[in-house]
Amino acid sequence: MLIIKKIPEAEFQEYLCSLCGVEYDEEYEAFSCYENENFLAICQFKCENGTAYIKDLRCREGKYDSEALIIMGRGVLNYVDLHGTHKAECSPDASDETIILACGFKRTQDGRFFVDLEGFFDGKCDGGCHK
């Protein structure tokens, strides 16, 4: 079973980032993903000006698990939506494009990955959430 949880301490976030080969950024919050107490992946993100920004969505080096990345990415999107941030962008370097798209992001005309979370998780978007 996959467990997704917020990383409360900066030092631990920095350590988990190092296991995934990503640069720790103190301005970002992070979630971690575990399977049977084994660390699998990290997602660093922040919310500012009404938009969530995902910087990293990466597995531990040598432990690639696309399902874990998608579930964690969507979990982060749900978390920010529930906390009042209804738009999100994802860095093109955060993960593989297939993972970013599977999380719900769409590529915009200017090349960004964006998702409008208004109605995304409550079934009210009728397919129009990806503006």
Side-chain angles (χ1 to χ4, degrees):
M1 176 199 307
L2 294 176
I3 307 279
I4 310 296
K5 55 186 173 180
K6 194 169 182 183
I7 302 170
E9 298 92 18
E11 296 81 19
F12 193 53
Q13 179 178 336
E14 185 172 12
Y15 169 70
L16 294 179
C17 283
S18 72
L19 295 179
C20 296
V22 299
E23 185 178 333
Y24 164 72
D25 190 325
E26 65 185 23
E27 293 182 21
Y28 286 76
E29 298 180 66
F31 276 23
S32 56
C33 178
Y34 293 83
E35 182 174 37
N36 302 325
E37 299 185 26
N38 295 313
F39 172 67
L40 291 177
I42 194 164
C43 181
Q44 288 193 104
F45 66 96
K46 69 177 175 179
C47 297
E48 58 182 28
N49 303 321
T51 302
Y53 298 93
I54 294 179
K55 178 182 182 288
D56 299 295
L57 183 57
R58 296 281 177 173
C59 282
R60 182 178 188 155
E61 292 181 334
K63 300 278 185 182
Y64 188 79
D65 186 327
S66 60
E67 181 181 8
L69 291 173
I70 294 165
I71 290 170
M72 185 167 51
R74 291 180 68 88
V76 167
L77 292 176
N78 190 46
Y79 172 82
V80 299
D81 184 48
L82 289 172
H83 286 86
T85 301
H86 306 297
K87 301 201 180 320
E89 290 188 28
C90 186
S91 167
D93 299 329
S95 196
D96 298 332
E97 183 172 352
T98 55
I99 299 298
I100 295 170
L101 295 173
C103 288
F105 290 93
K106 299 292 182 190
R107 190 178 282 278
T108 63
Q109 289 181 350
D110 61 0
R112 297 177 300 123
F113 288 103
F114 175 81
V115 62
D116 184 345
L117 299 171
E118 210 51 61
F120 190 85
F121 291 104
D122 62 13
K124 295 180 182 172
C125 69
D126 296 326
C129 294
H130 308 293
K131 298 175 185 170

